[in-house]
Amino acid sequence: MKTMFQYNWLVREEWYRWCEDIPVEELLRVRTGGVGGILHTLFHIADVEWSWIRALQGKPDFQESFDGYRSLEKVRQLDASFRQEVVEFVQSWDESMETLPLYDMQNDGKFTGHSWGEIMRHVIAHEIHHIGQLSVWSRELGKKPVSANLIGKGLIKPKL
Amino acid sequence: MKTMFQYNWLVREEWYRWCEDIPVEELLRVRTGGVGGILHTLFHIADVEWSWIRALQGKPDFQESFDGYRSLEKVRQLDASFRQEVVEFVQSWDESMETLPLYDMQNDGKFTGHSWGEIMRHVIAHEIHHIGQLSVWSRELGKKPVSANLIGKGLIKPKL
């Protein structure tokens, strides 16, 4: 669990650095699939991660749209402003939290319960999925995408 | 760990079903990004998952190319032929395996060690990343992609 979050943060940081070499009009260009753009995707990843972590803590989530964050610097700053709370929550994770319920109102007005463990894994998969979309758009731009490799980052050291 | 593999298998099965409604020439068409095509991606996901699980068991891995598997039925059959061994390995997973080493020869001929825990998470992230690419190509085809949601699949039941 913690390893996957660390992996996502490392890869996300690499994508922010990748963005530094791309003209802002390309970062903002509307593209096919996902939420429809490179910078919008990074905004969406940070937004969704923080919003779920906030929901698990019973706190209000992030409600703003991408319209106010249409530059690399603004998205990075927003992400950084969320990060400490997310890191603390992830670091505090233990097995006893896996099946705690979060109640969620569905479109039909009925309540459904999700386990916290499922939500945390949903957040992990959500980011990796959207990063996969960035990799296609990167190739469309003629640029090599950030590696998605999880091995080789020293996340879990082997006992040699 | 086990939850993420189950999620991947469920989503992969949904993508196989999604493929049933797509002409084979679209499934085989060379596309930008990833391994360059829809069916090739599904082949690659099954190949990589099984190959790593084989490597962890010290068994020979899968060496064939996509050339021999250029139909939905053939990829599904190949995947099915791998699945039981993968499921058994994932089901047998326990904490004591996390830091076991797997030695891997690098391009420079030096050996490096990866932990088993890192490799298993690499396999998980590898699939989700490639499925993200399918979602873009799906929209390019004018088709709704399979949902990447992990919540709502009953993978970890909440204690209500």
Side-chain angles (χ1 to χ4, degrees), chain B residues 107-122:
Chain B
N107 293 336
D108 59 6
K110 288 183 187 161
F111 277 87
T112 182
H114 300 295
S115 65
W116 287 29
E118 206 171 81
I119 287 167
M120 292 293 271
R121 287 169 184 80
H122 176 76

Side-chain angles (χ1 to χ4, degrees), chain B residues 84-99:
Chain B
Q84 193 183 344
E85 190 172 344
V86 178
V87 169
E88 282 172 12
F89 189 83
V90 171
Q91 292 300 340
S92 74
W93 186 263
D94 68 65
E95 290 269 331
S96 70
M97 297 152 89
E98 287 285 355
T99 56

Side-chain angles (χ1 to χ4, degrees), chain A residues 5-145:
Chain A
F5 273 94
Q6 283 163 348
Y7 161 76
N8 272 342
W9 297 327
L10 285 172
V11 171
R12 200 187 312 167
E13 180 54 33
E14 284 193 66
W15 275 101
Y16 285 135
R17 282 196 214 134
W18 179 96
C19 287
E20 290 172 1
D21 297 328
I22 310 292
V24 68
E25 58 269 25
E26 291 296 344
L27 298 181
L28 294 174
R29 191 181 301 284
V30 174
R31 297 173 194 278
T32 302
V35 297
I38 293 170
L39 200 59
H40 195 164
T41 298
L42 290 163
F43 168 87
H44 176 66
I45 287 169
D47 169 9
V48 165
E49 180 179 82
W50 194 69
S51 292
W52 277 114
I53 298 292
R54 295 282 291 180
L56 292 181
Q57 298 176 97
K59 295 178 183 173
D61 69 358
F62 182 72
Q63 298 282 358
E64 294 178 53
S65 84
F66 178 55
D67 294 342
Y69 297 89
R70 294 172 63 83
S71 79
L72 177 57
E73 204 42 44
K74 281 185 184 168
V75 173
R76 273 181 143 159
Q77 280 172 3
L78 184 76
D79 192 345
S81 75
F82 293 161
R83 186 62 56 85
Q84 194 184 344
E85 189 172 344
V86 178
V87 169
E88 283 172 11
F89 189 83
V90 170
Q91 292 299 340
S92 74
W93 187 263
D94 69 63
E95 290 269 329
S96 69
M97 298 152 89
E98 287 284 357
T99 56
L100 290 175
L102 178 77
Y103 294 96
D104 189 26
M105 196 170 71
Q106 293 177 299
N107 294 336
D108 59 6
K110 288 183 187 160
F111 278 88
T112 181
H114 300 295
S115 66
W116 287 30
E118 206 170 81
I119 287 167
M120 292 293 271
R121 286 169 186 81
H122 176 77
V123 170
I124 291 165
H126 179 266
E127 171 154 358
I128 304 171
H129 182 80
H130 281 292
I131 293 288
Q133 297 169 339
L134 292 190
S135 76
V136 170
W137 296 334
S138 167
R139 290 291 184 194
E140 285 172 1
L141 274 166
K143 293 274 183 183
K144 192 180 170 196

